[in-house]
Amino acid sequence: MPRFSIIVPVFKVQGFLRECLDSVLEQSYTDLEVIAVDDCSPDGCGAILDEYAGRDPRVRVLHLPENVGLGRARNAGMPLATGDYLFFLDSDDTLTPGALRAVADRLEETADPDVLVFDYARTYWWGGTRRNVLARVLAEAGAGTFSASEHPEILDLLMVVWNKVYRRGFVETEGFAFPPGYYEDTPWTFPVMLSARRIAALDRICLAYRQRRQGNILSTTSRKHFDIHDQYERVFAFVDARPELSSWRPYLHHKMGEHCLDILSKPDRLPEGDKAEFFRLTAALFRKHRSGPVPPELRVLEGGFTRYRLRRQAVRAGRELSRRGQQVRRAATVRVKRGWSTLHEHRPLDPNLAVYSAFSHRGVLGDPAAVYTAARELAPHIRGVWVVRDEEQAALLPPGTEHVLLDSPRYRRVTARATYFVNNVNWPGSLVKRPGSVHIHTHQGTPLKFMAADLLHKPGARQGFDVPQMLRRADRWDYSLVANRHSELVWDRAYPCHFTSLRTGSPRNDVLVRARSEEGAGAAVRARLGIPAENRVVLYAPTRRDYVRGGHADRLDLARFADDLGDGHTLVVRLHPSLADGPARGMGLAELHRRGVLVDATDEPSVEDLMLASDALVTDYSALMFDYANLDRPIVLLADDWGAYAASRGVYFDVTSDAPGHVAGTQRELAWLFASGSWRDAESARLRAGFRARFCEFDDGRAAERVVRTLMLGERPDVPAPAVAVPAQAGHDVLASS
């Protein structure tokens, strides 16, 4: 008896069917059967299904003699199911890698609940991906099981059949089946969820929900949407037949009203001439099943269609007025800023005022933070003010940190008078560099991938970057800090601007250099992350991909790698910051963190802390490797897609040939390097020493001090090598806007 019976109704999806079936049959978890129901599809779907059944015994095909619709096709497949759990997968959707393993593990963890609800992401025909906006409901559901009455928020999720698996015994005992119609998920999902005594949640994206440009009932303009009324009648009939569920009537009454009004409000659902009739039928159904006070947002159903239409017009008019008001306010803000600049351009600069920002105003971080700390000690007379993007970021600042909010009046006052500007990202274009001010650009590490002007010949990689505007902002730099001669040459090429390249080292790496001679460096961080003091910590830090829309690519099976490392090891994962708020963490990382398989440290503000807490780094092409080399701890590269990465982004050298340690071409090779001990052998140390000599050339633990003494206190330059003036390159001024 298989664990999962995956029922796939199939109709006119020949362009998507293979991808759907492959996503199931190529899962790492193999204890499954696929019951594919050919709903008399007029295209080539039947032949495709027979082909798959012929080469994989887990696939069974049922050819229906006539088209019966999605719900009844699912019904036809259920009697053939022998698995513990039913999984209804639409034939144009796909499972994400590792989804069934995650579901199976969660079912075992929760002792076989009646229903398990998991997360999904919408994938669009143009390549975009968007995670379910209510994913937090799954995270907040807890580790155990519950009923709908104990956690009613679970019903706020999209009420569809395919984001859940169902215990087959529960479905058969309750006699659940799909009715005919186009909104068949509604009278299945509500009865199932209200009847289930034990529901579990899995905060992981297990399914990619394809948003098709055409062919889906939800995006088709027709009278088929009138079916929603019959389906809610079935839901109310189910509740009426079970007195123990009567308390749900007000909730369902509210949901029904919201659902029908949502259909009515969509411009692409109902023919214009049928909207009045749809409204009248909705209002009649609403009156029939009313069982309590009517919430304000649904009171429109107590009036006529004309009143509803007038209200809709008023709402649209209000939005248009709001939009125009925002335009007027933006224009007024620009005039105020210009007036402010004019007012203050003749006031003298404050020689004891420095302004700091890091990572687009995200807090006291990186190189600017190291310079700020050194300035407070060595130049306490220089007042340091941080620029943060909003109140939420301001609340996370260390106590006593003076700050201003970006674009606020106080921000404009401070930046109009400051002498020193320290940043690792370009300042906004509205900030005017005044004569006498000193702009110090720290960058964000040693460059491997193409940057700035070098991206002009990489249109895919520079999508969203206005390179000429980036260079105009870089024209304000007075000093560019570098940790090695490689960076110096790259910034000369990538930023053809007027600045002095200063060989200071990277201020944020001072703590890493000093840690080489300190006992127990990183112990406090390990304790805060809950890592046993005796464990060996492996930090995995992948970078983003420019050849993948959204930047995230699953290059490593994290659960398997954590298992390969074995007892006594802790795998710590830090995604690239640009992926922190996207769907990447929902593809399994958050769930593995919750189960204690690994530590998700993506939200840790200080990457330096994570480096200190680790014993080894595994990365692909992240610039983190250049900083980590200062620790003189083992580094392993996973370079299974180096060719694609280098071709799409552009790189300054082949890191697989000049690597900081051993290079693995596959996950299997990576596991072998750790199992055999080669990750820290003599060859690894030799490679690391050569890499460190080249790329940590100016990092000596005194970079921040050097910046403060040289650029703020005016002391005699104490740098490992002479400063180099970088001349402007010809052609910069004629770059056209992109």
Side-chain angles (χ1 to χ4, degrees):
M1 179 185 298
R3 188 59 163 160
F4 297 109
S5 291
I6 302 177
I7 299 174
V8 186
V10 178
F11 182 73
K12 294 180 69 173
V13 288
Q14 62 179 8
F16 308 109
L17 184 55
R18 292 182 184 277
E19 186 180 359
C20 171
L21 295 174
D22 289 344
S23 77
V24 175
L25 299 175
E26 294 175 4
Q27 289 281 311
S28 60
Y29 189 89
T30 60
D31 189 14
L32 60 92
E33 63 179 2
V34 176
I35 300 169
V37 182
D38 174 14
D39 192 15
C40 201
S41 186
D43 56 7
C45 286
I48 293 173
L49 293 177
D50 289 338
E51 173 195 332
Y52 274 78
R55 68 178 190 233
D56 195 319
R58 295 176 296 172
V59 180
R60 299 175 62 187
V61 181
L62 174 62
H63 295 283
L64 299 182
E66 62 179 0
N67 178 252
V68 297
L70 185 59
R72 286 187 287 181
R74 291 168 178 158
N75 289 341
M78 278 197 280
L80 304 180
T82 61
D84 297 330
Y85 279 84
L86 303 177
F87 192 144
F88 298 101
L89 178 64
D90 287 354
S91 49
D92 55 352
D93 295 338
T94 56
L95 298 185
T96 60
L100 289 184
R101 165 58 65 188
V103 171
D105 288 346
R106 185 73 175 121
L107 291 173
E108 181 179 358
E109 184 181 39
T110 53
D112 286 5
D114 297 327
V115 180
L116 173 67
V117 188
F118 52 78
D119 202 9
Y120 66 92
R122 285 179 165 86
T123 58
Y124 295 87
W125 59 268
W126 43 266
T129 300
R130 183 166 62 89
R131 188 177 186 181
N132 166 26
V133 295
L134 292 176
R136 59 168 181 77
V137 172
L138 296 171
E140 294 166 358
T145 60
F146 53 89
S147 65
S149 59
E150 292 168 332
H151 190 56
E153 294 81 7
I154 200 71
L155 300 179
D156 291 335
L157 298 175
L158 192 62
M159 295 304 285
V160 291
V161 66
W162 42 256
N163 64 347
K164 308 169 184 71
V165 295
Y166 312 86
R167 188 168 55 81
R168 183 165 62 90
F170 165 65
V171 171
E172 292 175 349
T173 299
E174 296 290 343
F176 293 126
F178 293 92
Y182 297 97
Y183 283 86
E184 76 292 330
D185 282 10
T186 298
W188 167 279
T189 308
F190 279 118
V192 165
M193 295 298 285
L194 297 182
S195 302
R197 292 181 175 84
R198 299 180 64 248
I199 302 170
L202 174 61
D203 180 23
R204 186 195 194 278
I205 298 173
C206 296
L207 182 139
Y209 174 30
R210 189 187 302 274
Q211 307 295 288
R212 293 166 64 182
R213 291 190 68 230
Q214 55 186 8
N216 189 317
I217 176 61
L218 294 181
S219 60
T220 303
T221 302
S222 75
R223 286 184 59 87
K224 292 177 180 178
H225 297 280
F226 279 76
D227 174 66
I228 191 65
H229 301 122
D230 291 339
Q231 303 299 7
Y232 270 103
E233 285 283 24
R234 291 186 171 99
V235 174
F236 282 110
F238 178 85
V239 172
D240 289 343
R242 302 199 178 196
E244 70 274 14
L245 299 180
S246 61
S247 62
W248 286 102
R249 284 188 60 86
Y251 174 86
L252 294 171
H253 180 253
H254 190 170
K255 277 288 184 182
M256 181 268 293
E258 281 185 337
H259 196 166
C260 292
L261 285 177
D262 182 64
I263 293 171
L264 187 60
S265 69
K266 295 290 193 300
D268 59 348
R269 301 294 169 87
L270 293 162
E272 193 62 35
D274 294 326
K275 289 185 176 181
E277 180 186 356
F278 185 90
F279 179 88
R280 287 193 295 271
L281 290 175
T282 298
L285 188 65
F286 193 74
R287 288 192 299 271
K288 176 181 177 181
H289 293 289
R290 179 173 174 175
S291 56
V294 177
E297 64 270 21
L298 298 181
R299 288 175 187 163
V300 67
L301 287 169
E302 296 181 319
F305 180 67
T306 300
R307 180 182 172 187
Y308 163 79
R309 189 166 54 186
L310 289 173
R311 180 180 175 184
R312 291 282 301 168
Q313 291 171 349
V315 169
R316 284 194 292 269
R319 288 174 181 165
E320 177 62 18
L321 285 173
S322 176
R323 185 185 67 82
R324 292 182 181 179
Q326 288 176 352
Q327 290 178 333
V328 171
R329 286 191 292 273
R330 281 196 294 268
T333 299
V334 170
R335 288 194 296 271
V336 168
K337 288 179 181 178
R338 288 173 180 167
W340 186 273
S341 298
T342 303
L343 177 65
H344 287 272
E345 65 182 2
H346 299 300
R347 297 185 64 185
L349 296 179
D350 183 344
N352 295 322
L353 178 58
V355 180
Y356 298 86
S357 179
F359 300 105
S360 299
H361 322 296
R362 288 199 295 112
V364 183
L365 302 166
D367 290 302
V371 175
Y372 168 75
T373 301
R376 294 186 70 182
E377 177 183 348
L378 301 172
H381 61 284
I382 296 180
R383 173 184 164 211
V385 180
W386 281 86
V387 178
V388 291
R389 62 188 179 191
D390 51 37
E391 291 285 5
E392 184 178 350
Q393 290 295 330
L396 301 176
L397 294 174
T401 303
E402 186 176 357
H403 66 278
V404 294
L405 298 184
L406 179 68
D407 234 13
S408 66
R410 223 175 134 236
Y411 161 82
R412 290 190 285 275
R413 284 196 297 270
V414 167
T415 55
R417 299 289 312 283
T419 293
Y420 305 103
F421 291 80
V422 184
N423 203 342
N424 63 4
V425 177
N426 271 326
W427 291 99
S430 58
L431 192 152
V432 177
K433 176 177 169 55
R434 296 185 60 190
S437 64
V438 178
H439 282 242
I440 303 166
H441 194 77
T442 70
H443 302 282
Q444 295 181 39
T446 295
L448 169 63
K449 60 188 179 184
F450 276 9
M451 303 291 287
D454 288 327
L455 291 174
L456 288 171
H457 302 294
K458 291 289 182 180
R462 67 179 171 89
Q463 185 177 14
F465 288 99
D466 185 339
V467 174
Q469 174 66 9
M470 186 185 300
L471 297 182
R472 283 190 287 270
R473 294 180 180 185
D475 279 333
R476 296 173 297 196
W477 301 352
D478 292 293
Y479 297 98
S480 165
L481 308 187
V482 297
N484 49 67
R485 296 170 202 265
H486 162 78
S487 296
E488 187 174 82
L489 293 172
V490 167
W491 300 140
D492 180 6
R493 165 189 172 129
Y495 291 98
C497 308
H498 294 278
F499 58 79
T500 295
S501 183
L502 205 60
R503 297 173 175 179
T504 57
S506 293
R508 72 182 182 280
N509 288 341
D510 290 346
V511 65
L512 304 180
V513 175
R514 292 195 293 266
R516 290 208 302 262
S517 59
E518 294 177 0
E519 285 293 327
V525 182
R526 289 188 181 210
R528 177 163 54 78
L529 295 175
I531 300 172
E534 67 277 7
N535 273 23
R536 178 173 290 142
V537 177
V538 177
L539 173 62
Y540 175 54
T543 193
R544 62 178 292 120
R545 266 56 175 182
D546 289 290
Y547 65 81
V548 177
R549 186 179 289 275
H552 175 66
D554 280 316
R555 311 305 309 175
L556 188 63
D557 183 333
L558 296 174
R560 179 178 162 193
F561 183 45
D563 186 59
D564 288 340
L565 290 174
D567 294 338
H569 292 75
T570 297
L571 176 62
V572 176
V573 179
R574 181 183 177 84
L575 297 180
H576 190 277
S578 67
L579 303 175
D581 297 325
R585 296 167 84 174
M587 302 297 286
L589 180 57
E591 174 64 9
L592 293 174
H593 174 84
R594 185 194 64 80
R595 290 169 47 203
V597 175
L598 50 74
V599 174
D600 175 12
T602 303
D603 287 335
E604 281 293 310
S606 171
V607 69
E608 291 79 26
D609 281 352
L610 297 179
M611 289 191 277
L612 289 172
S614 65
D615 297 294
L617 171 69
V618 175
T619 187
D620 34 41
Y621 324 116
S622 170
L624 201 67
M625 72 179 88
F626 299 101
D627 303 324
Y628 197 85
N630 281 289
L631 285 169
D632 196 22
R633 299 176 189 175
I635 302 172
V636 178
L637 298 190
L638 175 61
D640 61 334
D641 64 340
W642 171 247
Y645 181 87
S648 60
R649 176 68 194 221
V651 294
Y652 292 112
F653 69 96
D654 184 352
V655 73
T656 64
S657 299
D658 194 2
H662 289 296
V663 179
T666 64
Q667 178 157 353
R668 183 176 181 180
E669 291 177 10
L670 178 65
W672 179 85
L673 285 171
F674 279 90
S676 65
S678 300
W679 63 281
R680 54 173 180 168
D681 61 9
E683 176 64 6
S684 169
R686 185 190 70 79
L687 291 169
R688 188 167 67 253
F691 192 86
R692 193 171 65 254
R694 178 181 177 187
F695 295 110
C696 304
E697 183 180 4
F698 306 143
D699 281 330
D700 61 358
R702 296 181 55 220
E705 175 190 350
R706 190 171 291 120
V707 171
V708 173
R709 291 191 182 280
T710 302
L711 301 182
M712 293 182 174
L713 296 178
E715 297 181 3
R716 181 163 102 40
D718 173 21
V719 293
V724 177
V726 178
Q729 296 183 5
H732 163 51
D733 293 333
V734 298
L735 290 174
S737 295
S738 59

